[in-house]
Amino acid sequence: SAMGDRGTNNHSEVTDFIFAGFRVHPELHIFLFLAFLFVYSMVLLGNISMLAIILIDPRLNTPMYFFLGNLSFIDLSYSSAVAPKAMANFLSSSKSISFAGCVAQYFFFVLFMVAEGFVLAAMAYDRFVAICSPLQYSIRMSRRLCTQLMVGSYFCGWVTSILLVSITFTLSFCASRVIDHFYCDSHSIEKISCSNIVINRMVSLTLAGIIILPTLIVIMVSYVYIVSTVLKIRSAEGRTKAFSTCGSHLGVVSLLYGTAFFVYLIPPNNPELRKVASVCYTLITPMLNPLIYSLRNKDVKESLKRILGKTKTLL
């Protein structure tokens, strides 16, 4: 039964959940499957290619590309936490996910989404040092600091994920086990709970404030200094070159935070719009990120040409 397990009194009796997915005619499920397959294939191709280029070319062994490689890995990871199961459900009649599977999906999705926010902040700081203090760049952006920033990003994601999983999946589900989404999302899970979710909302908002505000402040302050420094450059060519190194990063930040904020500003009575918006930051953003960096980045394009040239020579 779609509306599920009304006799269930607590989470220990729930063995699985059912995804409502997109409320469209069954005939359109094949179209949705193909659309998700195409976008996810582009996510795999783009991010794996970016990782390969950064790992293969020693010229890209710099802090900027160290962070960019991790960004590609994170994009690849959180989209992979959602897309395969969503595609499988488009072709399935049950559209279910086990309780453990839902926990795992939510855990990894939160971990990598939070880590991405901190990585984008680290990338903003990297650009700030490169443009505002170029003579001190190699000292300030040492390999040790870059490693610490990345470890800290993953650690914050892991802690946040543990906390949110703990408070979300200890709720009682006595009314329904149907999640009105295409993946395990805390907002949709809380809607089918009969527990008091006031504490959950407070913890979620607190964590969001602790994570989002500092990362956004670092990004905004970094760019205030970057813009003020670039405007002091006398030559137009110099200003253009300086801004071009930041344009890709700003594009990625705008995509991620823009779509994420839009999702949570959507009224609760419009779940279908929320699902469509969720596709943007779970799949569209990870697909566009490597394109933004490869198309706007001279180093990446030249590195790709060198790798392709060597491949042709070997063949």
Side-chain angles (χ1 to χ4, degrees):
S1 61
M3 289 309 293
D5 198 356
R6 293 186 179 277
T8 301
N9 292 318
N10 58 55
H11 78 277
S12 62
E13 295 180 26
V14 175
T15 57
D16 66 346
F17 294 103
I18 298 170
F19 289 122
F22 294 92
R23 300 186 184 279
V24 297
H25 292 292
E27 294 80 8
L28 292 176
H29 285 173
I30 294 296
F31 169 77
L32 288 173
F33 169 79
L34 293 174
F36 267 60
L37 179 63
F38 171 76
V39 174
Y40 183 57
S41 298
M42 293 297 292
V43 170
L44 294 176
L45 178 63
N47 287 289
I48 291 174
S49 298
M50 186 65 74
L51 275 169
I53 291 168
I54 292 169
L55 291 172
I56 292 170
D57 194 339
R59 295 178 182 85
L60 301 183
N61 187 19
T62 64
M64 175 181 170
Y65 293 104
F66 172 72
F67 292 128
L68 182 55
N70 277 278
L71 182 68
S72 290
F73 171 72
I74 289 169
D75 283 343
L76 189 64
S77 299
Y78 75 72
S79 60
S80 296
V82 172
K85 185 60 181 176
M87 290 189 293
N89 283 337
F90 287 137
L91 304 179
S92 170
S93 57
S94 64
K95 306 187 187 308
S96 64
I97 185 171
S98 66
F99 185 87
C102 192
V103 172
Q105 185 184 68
Y106 183 62
F107 175 84
F108 286 111
F109 182 74
V110 171
L111 190 160
F112 290 111
M113 282 294 292
V114 171
E116 177 150 341
F118 283 100
V119 171
L120 290 173
M123 292 174 76
Y125 177 72
D126 172 72
R127 292 300 83 205
F128 157 72
V129 177
I131 293 173
C132 300
S133 305
L135 298 178
Q136 299 178 5
Y137 182 74
S138 59
I139 298 172
R140 293 177 64 176
M141 295 305 298
S142 64
R143 181 178 292 273
R144 181 181 178 183
L145 176 63
C146 293
T147 302
Q148 288 173 340
L149 288 172
M150 278 312 312
V151 171
S153 298
Y154 289 117
F155 178 74
C156 290
W158 181 78
V159 170
T160 305
S161 201
I162 289 289
L163 289 172
L164 289 179
V165 164
S166 299
I167 64 170
T168 300
F169 290 94
T170 51
L171 295 171
S172 298
F173 304 101
C174 54
S176 170
R177 57 190 176 98
V178 178
I179 298 174
D180 193 11
H181 217 304
F182 63 91
Y183 69 96
C184 291
D185 164 74
S186 61
H187 182 267
S188 302
I189 293 170
E190 288 170 356
K191 284 177 67 176
I192 64 171
S193 171
C194 54
S195 300
N196 189 332
I197 61 170
V198 172
I199 294 177
N200 293 59
R201 292 286 170 86
M202 289 175 62
V203 171
S204 297
L205 287 172
T206 302
L207 287 173
I210 292 172
I211 294 162
I212 295 172
L213 284 179
T215 54
L216 278 178
I217 288 171
V218 169
I219 292 169
M220 289 189 292
V221 170
S222 295
Y223 275 101
V224 167
Y225 280 101
I226 288 169
V227 170
S228 64
T229 301
V230 171
L231 291 177
K232 294 175 184 177
I233 299 174
R234 294 183 178 182
S235 68
E237 184 181 350
R239 287 196 298 270
T240 302
K241 184 178 179 181
F243 276 129
S244 67
T245 62
C246 303
S248 300
H249 179 256
L250 278 175
V252 171
V253 169
S254 301
L255 270 174
L256 179 68
Y257 283 100
T259 53
F261 280 131
F262 180 70
V263 166
Y264 287 96
L265 289 175
I266 294 172
N269 60 355
N270 200 337
E272 294 308 301
L273 182 58
R274 188 184 183 91
K275 294 171 196 175
V276 173
S278 295
V279 174
C280 291
Y281 70 82
T282 57
L283 284 171
I284 303 300
T285 298
M287 179 185 73
L288 293 178
N289 284 355
L291 289 174
I292 291 171
Y293 274 103
S294 61
L295 292 175
R296 292 181 57 88
N297 193 298
K298 184 180 177 181
D299 292 337
V300 172
K301 287 188 283 188
E302 289 180 353
S303 179
L304 182 59
K305 288 177 183 177
R306 284 193 296 267
I307 293 170
L308 292 175
K310 289 180 181 178
T311 304
K312 288 179 182 179
T313 303
L314 291 173
L315 293 175

